[in-house]
C-alpha cells in the first residue's frame, strides 16, 4: 500500500530588492529572515503579503488603503502614513474586528518595523528573536544587551549614589539633583540587563530565579516595578527606602524591558551613559 506523500507547506516568494529602497531601515539579512516566517504565518494573499511587496517594490496595491500599485517603492513618509490610516476594502462581516480578520494589525506592524518606527519583530513565532540572531522573544541580541549593560556600568563608575546615603535624602528621591537620579536609573538598567545576560540568578525586584530569563519572565518584573515607580507620586505609595530602591530605578527597569521587547526603539542608556534625567549634551 503506497504511503501518503509528505505534506509540504508552500511559502509564497516575494522578491527582496538589492539594494533595499532608501525607506527601509532594516538590514537586508533581517528582512530576508523575517519575510518568509511572516508569509508562513499569514499566507501570500492577504494584507500582510501586500505590506511586504508594496513597501519593498511598490508592485502591488498598498495594504491598508488598497491604493493602486505605482510600480516603485513608496517613501518613508508614505509607508508611515499607510500604517496609520483608516482601512478600506475590508471584507470583515459586521461585528468582527477588522484588525484581526483582515490582517490589518499584521500589515501595520510589518510597515512600522520596516521603516524603524517599532523594533517589535512582525511575526508571531514564540522564538521570533532567532530571526535577528537574538534569544527567545527578544528584539535585542546578547551583544546589544551587553553593550547597554556595560555603558550603564561605566556611567556608575564615573558617578554613583552615595553609600551609605543620608536617610533624609533617601526619603526624598524626587528632590535629588539630576546626577543622583541618573545614577539610580543606571543601577536599574545594569541590574536588569545583568539578570537577562545570566550574570545574576535573581531578578532585581521580584527576586525570581532564572539563569537566562525568557522575555516572558520579564512580565512579572515589569509589574513589580509599578510600586517602585509610584513612590512619592500623586496617588502612589509613600517612599520606603527600606523596602524599595528609588523610583528612578524602577523606571529604568521598565524602560529596559520595553527596549528588550522592541516596544521602544530607544535604548535605556545612551552612548554617554546618560538617562532621561541627565540627557547628553
Amino acid at each position: 500500500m503506497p504511503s501518503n506523500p509528505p505534506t509540504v507547506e508552500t511559502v509564497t516568494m516575494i522578491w527582496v530588492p538589492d539594494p533595499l529602497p532608501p525607506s527601509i531601515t532594516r538590514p537586508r539579512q533581517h528582512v530576508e529572515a523575517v519575510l518568509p516566517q511572516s508569509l508562513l504565518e499569514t499566507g501570500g494573499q492577504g494584507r500582510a503579503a501586500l505590506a511586504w511587496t508594496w513597501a519593498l517594490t511598490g508592485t502591488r496595491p498598498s495594504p491598508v488603503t488598497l491604493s493602486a500599485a505605482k510600480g516603485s517603492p513608496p517613501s518613508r513618509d508614505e509607508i508611515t502614513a499607510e500604517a496609520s490610516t483608516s482601512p478600506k476594502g475590508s471584507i470583515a462581516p459586521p461585528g468582527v474586528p477588522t484588525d484581526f480578520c483582515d490582517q490589518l494589525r499584521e500589515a501595520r506592524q510589518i510597515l512600522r518595523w520596516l521603516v524603524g518606527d517599532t523594533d517589535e519583530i512582525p511575526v508571531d513565532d514564540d522564538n521570533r528573536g532567532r530571526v535577528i540572531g537574538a534569544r527567545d522573544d527578544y528584539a535585542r541580541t546578547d551583544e546589544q544587551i551587553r553593550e547597554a549593560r556595560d555603558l550603564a556600568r561605566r556611567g556608575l563608575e564615573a558617578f554613583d549614589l552615595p553609600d551609605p546615603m543620608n536617610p533624609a535624602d533617601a526619603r526624598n528621591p524626587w528632590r535629588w539633583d539630576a546626577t543622583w537620579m541618573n545614577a539610580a536609573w543606571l543601577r536599574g538598567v545594569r541590574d536588569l540587563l545583568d539578570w537577562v545576560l545570566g550574570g545574576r540568578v535573581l531578578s532585581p525586584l521580584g527576586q525570581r530565579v532564572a539563569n537566562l530569563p525568557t522575555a516572558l519572565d520579564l512580565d512579572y518584573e515589569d509589574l513589580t516595578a509599578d510600586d517602585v515607580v509610584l513612590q512619592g507620586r500623586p496617588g502612589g505609595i509613600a517612599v520606603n527606602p527600606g523596602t524599595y530602591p528609588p523610583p528612578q530605578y524602577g523606571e529604568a527597569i521598565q524602560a529596559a524591558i520595553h527596549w528588550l521587547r522592541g516596544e521602544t526603539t530607544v535604548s535605556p542608556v545612551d552612548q554617554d551613559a546618560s538617562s532621561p534625567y541627565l540627557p547628553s549634551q
Side-chain angles (χ1 to χ4, degrees):
M1 181 175 181
S3 59
N4 293 328
T7 300
V8 177
E9 193 156 4
T10 302
V11 178
T12 301
M13 298 302 295
I14 292 177
W15 177 58
V16 179
D18 188 10
L20 291 171
S23 57
I24 307 302
T25 64
R26 298 296 162 187
R28 181 181 174 84
Q29 64 267 32
H30 288 183
V31 174
E32 290 177 333
V34 174
L35 172 55
Q37 179 63 35
S38 172
L39 295 179
L40 186 64
E41 295 173 356
T42 61
Q45 302 303 318
R47 290 185 191 259
L50 284 180
W52 287 107
T53 311
W54 178 73
L56 293 173
T57 68
T59 56
R60 293 184 71 188
S62 62
V64 178
T65 61
L66 301 181
S67 300
K70 64 178 187 178
S72 60
S75 67
R76 188 187 192 286
D77 286 346
E78 288 173 323
I79 294 176
T80 300
E82 184 75 10
S84 60
T85 196
S86 299
K88 294 181 180 178
S90 172
I91 59 172
V96 176
T98 304
D99 281 357
F100 293 92
C101 81
D102 203 15
Q103 298 183 349
L104 281 167
R105 176 180 63 86
E106 291 87 347
R108 288 189 171 113
Q109 187 181 12
I110 290 163
L111 296 180
R112 294 182 64 235
W113 180 77
L114 283 171
V115 297
D117 282 349
T118 181
D119 286 336
E120 291 184 86
I121 305 165
V123 296
D124 291 331
D125 190 314
D126 289 341
N127 294 309
R128 60 183 177 168
R130 64 182 171 75
V131 299
I132 62 163
R135 288 188 282 122
D136 190 59
D137 198 18
Y138 290 118
R140 314 295 170 193
T141 64
D142 281 1
E143 181 180 356
Q144 291 171 316
I145 298 170
R146 191 172 295 108
E147 180 182 356
R149 190 273 314 275
D150 291 348
L151 283 170
R153 283 181 174 178
R154 287 199 289 273
L156 289 167
E157 289 170 0
F159 190 92
D160 201 349
L161 293 174
D163 186 18
M165 180 180 286
N166 182 297
D169 288 332
R171 288 192 296 270
N172 291 281
W174 296 117
R175 296 182 182 177
W176 293 351
D177 66 26
T179 54
W180 280 25
M181 292 186 182
N182 186 65
W185 178 284
L186 294 181
R187 284 186 174 197
V189 173
R190 175 200 62 191
D191 293 351
L192 190 281
L193 298 186
D194 260 346
W195 180 54
V196 169
L197 289 167
R200 54 188 292 165
V201 176
L202 295 178
S203 65
L205 292 178
Q207 300 295 288
R208 291 173 66 84
V209 177
N211 289 319
L212 280 175
T214 66
L216 187 61
D217 288 322
L218 302 183
D219 288 348
Y220 184 80
E221 199 71 5
D222 196 4
L223 290 172
T224 305
D226 284 343
D227 283 341
V228 178
V229 169
L230 290 174
Q231 290 178 97
R233 291 183 182 274
I237 62 176
V239 176
N240 188 346
T243 302
Y244 297 123
Q248 298 87 354
Y249 183 99
E251 289 179 330
I253 292 282
Q254 292 185 327
I257 289 172
H258 298 164
W259 175 74
L260 288 167
R261 292 172 172 163
E263 295 164 4
T264 177
T265 60
V266 180
S267 172
V269 56
D270 69 18
Q271 292 299 314
D272 294 323
S274 294
S275 72
Y277 289 105
L278 190 67
S280 297
Q281 299 299 318

